Structure formats: structure tokens, C-alpha cells
Amino acid sequence: MKKSQWWILAAVVVLVGIYFLARSRQPVEKEIRFFSADSSEVAEIKLFTQEDTLVVKKIGNAWKMTYPLTWDVNQQQLASFFQKVLPAKTSATPMSEDPNLQSMYKVDSLSSNQVSFLDKNGKILDHVYIGNGTNTAFIYGRRQGENQIYQFKEDIINLVTPDVMQWRSPNIINLKQSQIKSIEVRYPQNTYTLTFSADSTKYSDARESFIIPASNRAQYKIINALENLMTWQFIDTGTEKYANDFKHPACTIRVNLNNGQTVTLTLAEHKQAAKETTDKNSFPEQPLIFLKLNDQSAPLYQMTADFLNRFTRDAAHFKTQYE
């Protein structure tokens, strides 16, 4: 290599070194933990806006939604909340301390999502105002009684929104095959029973009876549906609107358990009127499927047509190896 080339290479190495040295000496923006509450002390979470309020409380060792309704909590939502919201960090330097700018950053009492953490005695550990300001890419927070407005390092706005659908557990029932003694199914075309023993399942109706092949898909789909029965669509009020639909059920499923208890699932089809269909891509002629648990009038659970179809199959589907 020529001497001139060595000089060029040496100069490049020196410049690169200077660049990385300069970068290493650049001031690093300090961050702070925004919330002061300790997760072990939090016994109640209150999320509220001007329009909606949602309250989640720790009752014993379990978390329950207590307002606007009493329901089990979506465990994934709860875990995400504690993992991302409580330890959330902001810049140490406030974006503003001007109270006149609180509405612009949406951290005022009118436009913000408010979050309160309380301990088991009802003492407020934190009360803050969180908003997405003038740009949804940036989330801001302000503590009650203070004017300092801080910018969050991560977007937590969805987790602090009082959205019942997100916080409500979607689980309806979770029954394992080992818990089930028999399943009685009645629908307009047939009535049949699946009876479970240690090593086989028996199908029987008014015309025939046989042992279902171990690899039968129809049986598997029924068991799978009962093990993981869930929905995100609930109807808590106005259920009387669907009362006539349940007078002639599309299917009634009676699950007899080994402990002597019984779980009853009643499915009804609700034909939609044109005005009920708001999605321009939906098909009004397709009925909605609703489920009633143990003959309770509310809530109703909206199900898929696939769930109904799993139970309303004729005997031939239970005879094949892989159907």
C-alpha cells in the first residue's frame, strides 16, 4: 500500500474515533417513573373520563370489575396494565408548566383519561391525567394538583381508557372433557347424546347408537368449544328484545358433569332487520347467533355460526375417522 493511502486510512480511523467519542459524550435525556404507587399496594384501579367510568378491585386474591358491572377481569389486559402502565416512564424535564396549556395536551379534567390507584383502605396512591395532546403519536401526563406536563416514552393511552370490552373477561365456560359425563343436544332436526367413559365416547339418538372413533373431528370440535367458550360481544341490557327468538331455540345443549352439576346452553337465531345492519359489507339475511347460559335472561352472548354448526351435525359426521 502506498504511503499516501496509509495517511488516508489513518485519517478515516481518527475521524470515526472522534465521531463515536462525541456521541458518547452527548447528554442522555433523563427519565423518571411517572407513577409513585407500588404494585403490591394497589387494591383498586379507577379509570374514568367525562363520559365513562370503569373500576377494577382486588377482592381476596382475585381482581374483579365492579363498575359499571360486576364481572371477571380479562387477565391479559390486567397483566399488560401492570407491566406497562405502573412502571411507565416520562422525560424528567416537563414539556410545560403552563396551566393554560393543559387542554392542548389533553391533560385537563375535561378531555383527559384519568387514572386513580387506591390501596385496600381506599387511600389514593396516585391520581393522574393522561391525554394524547395535539398529536396521537405523543402521550402526556399530569399529576393531580400539579401543573407540570410530562411526555410518556411509550403509548399507554389504550390501557388507561375505560373500555369495558377490553377489561371484561371473554370467558363464558371452560369445561374439560374429564369433567363431563354426557352432553345432550336438541335441535329441530334431531336429538342426540354423547356419553363419555374412560376410553371411549358413545353417540346415541332415537335411531342408532355407536362408539365414536377416537380421531373423530366432530367430537373434537365440540369438546374444544366447551373447553374454550368465549366471546367479546355481550348484551347486558335490552335482552327482552330477543325473548321471542329463544321461544324456538336453534339448539339446546345440556352438559351433565361428573360432580352432578349441569350447564345449559341455549342458542337462538335472531334475524336482523335492515336498520340493524350498519356494516355495508355485511349480509342482513345472515341471522345473529345468541347464547343464553343456564336460562339466565342476561347477559346474552353473541356467538358465531360455526359454534352452532358444531353441535347441529347429523350422526354420519360422528362415524368417520377424521371428519
Side-chain angles (χ1 to χ4, degrees):
M1 182 179 291
K2 294 181 180 180
K3 190 174 182 180
S4 60
Q5 292 177 320
W6 278 108
W7 279 108
I8 295 173
L9 179 61
V12 170
V13 171
V14 170
L15 289 173
V16 170
I18 293 173
Y19 169 76
F20 281 105
L21 180 63
R23 285 198 62 181
S24 66
R25 292 183 175 179
Q26 286 180 352
V28 178
E29 182 183 21
K30 290 185 178 180
E31 298 178 353
I32 58 171
R33 183 172 177 264
F34 184 70
F35 294 96
S36 61
D38 188 299
S39 61
S40 63
E41 297 179 341
V42 176
E44 181 177 341
I45 302 168
K46 185 177 181 182
L47 310 176
F48 54 106
T49 63
Q50 283 292 303
E51 297 80 21
D52 301 299
T53 298
L54 186 145
V55 179
V56 176
K57 288 185 179 181
K58 190 175 185 181
I59 302 174
N61 293 322
W63 286 88
K64 294 276 187 179
M65 186 191 304
T66 60
Y67 189 88
L69 52 86
T70 302
W71 202 265
D72 290 339
V73 167
N74 181 347
Q75 293 300 316
Q76 291 183 346
Q77 180 78 0
L78 183 68
S80 294
F81 186 89
F82 276 104
Q83 290 169 4
K84 296 182 180 181
V85 175
L86 260 181
K89 292 184 178 181
T90 66
S91 55
T93 304
M95 298 293 293
S96 173
E97 297 186 35
D98 186 350
N100 295 319
L101 296 181
Q102 291 177 10
S103 60
M104 184 184 80
Y105 286 102
K106 294 186 179 178
V107 292
D108 59 322
S109 60
L110 295 177
S111 57
S112 65
N113 287 358
Q114 297 188 50
V115 181
S116 288
F117 295 122
L118 295 84
D119 66 12
K120 62 181 180 181
N121 297 316
K123 177 184 176 183
I124 297 177
L125 305 174
D126 273 310
H127 182 176
V128 304
Y129 304 83
I130 299 176
N132 58 359
T134 56
N135 188 330
T136 55
F138 300 105
I139 309 301
Y140 304 96
R142 178 179 68 87
R143 302 183 183 95
Q144 186 182 45
E146 298 180 5
N147 291 325
Q148 293 90 341
I149 300 170
Y150 297 91
Q151 181 179 315
F152 281 96
K153 293 301 178 181
E154 293 187 20
D155 185 352
I156 61 170
I157 198 71
N158 289 331
L159 289 170
V160 298
T161 300
D163 186 343
V164 172
M165 182 178 292
Q166 294 297 322
W167 280 90
R168 185 179 198 168
S169 171
N171 295 329
I172 304 174
I173 59 171
N174 301 100
L175 297 174
K176 297 185 180 300
Q177 183 174 346
S178 59
Q179 298 175 264
I180 302 174
K181 181 180 181 180
S182 64
I183 302 173
E184 302 170 23
V185 180
R186 180 187 297 273
Y187 62 102
Q189 290 75 32
N190 195 17
T191 297
Y192 67 88
T193 301
L194 303 181
T195 305
F196 299 89
S197 62
D199 56 1
S200 65
T201 304
K202 180 182 178 181
Y203 173 97
S204 57
D205 63 19
R207 295 177 293 276
E208 57 186 320
S209 178
F210 55 86
I211 298 298
I212 300 174
S215 58
N216 179 260
R217 292 287 295 174
Q219 176 190 210
Y220 168 79
K221 288 183 176 182
I222 286 177
I223 295 301
N224 179 260
L226 295 176
E227 283 187 350
N228 303 283
L229 184 55
M230 62 177 62
T231 184
W232 293 101
Q233 302 294 328
F234 301 83
I235 298 180
D236 297 294
T237 59
T239 56
E240 62 277 0
K241 170 183 176 180
Y242 308 97
N244 286 332
D245 300 318
F246 283 94
K247 290 180 179 180
H248 304 283
C251 183
T252 302
I253 305 159
R254 181 184 172 95
V255 185
N256 302 304
L257 305 179
N258 291 320
N259 63 6
Q261 295 182 342
T262 299
V263 177
T264 302
L265 309 174
T266 307
L267 292 159
E269 294 181 322
H270 175 72
K271 292 183 172 59
Q272 301 180 80
K275 63 181 180 180
E276 294 182 66
T277 306
T278 58
D279 184 355
K280 65 180 181 180
N281 295 317
S282 65
F283 299 93
E285 68 272 13
Q286 296 297 319
L288 299 175
I289 311 296
F290 291 109
L291 181 148
K292 183 187 293 186
L293 177 63
N294 293 328
D295 206 34
Q296 298 173 354
S297 59
L300 297 180
Y301 309 88
Q302 186 171 337
M303 307 304 296
T304 63
D306 173 72
F307 179 79
L308 175 60
N309 292 338
R310 292 185 184 209
F311 292 88
T312 55
R313 297 187 172 198
D314 60 38
H317 289 83
F318 293 92
K319 294 180 179 179
T320 60
Q321 285 285 344
Y322 301 103
E323 172 60 41

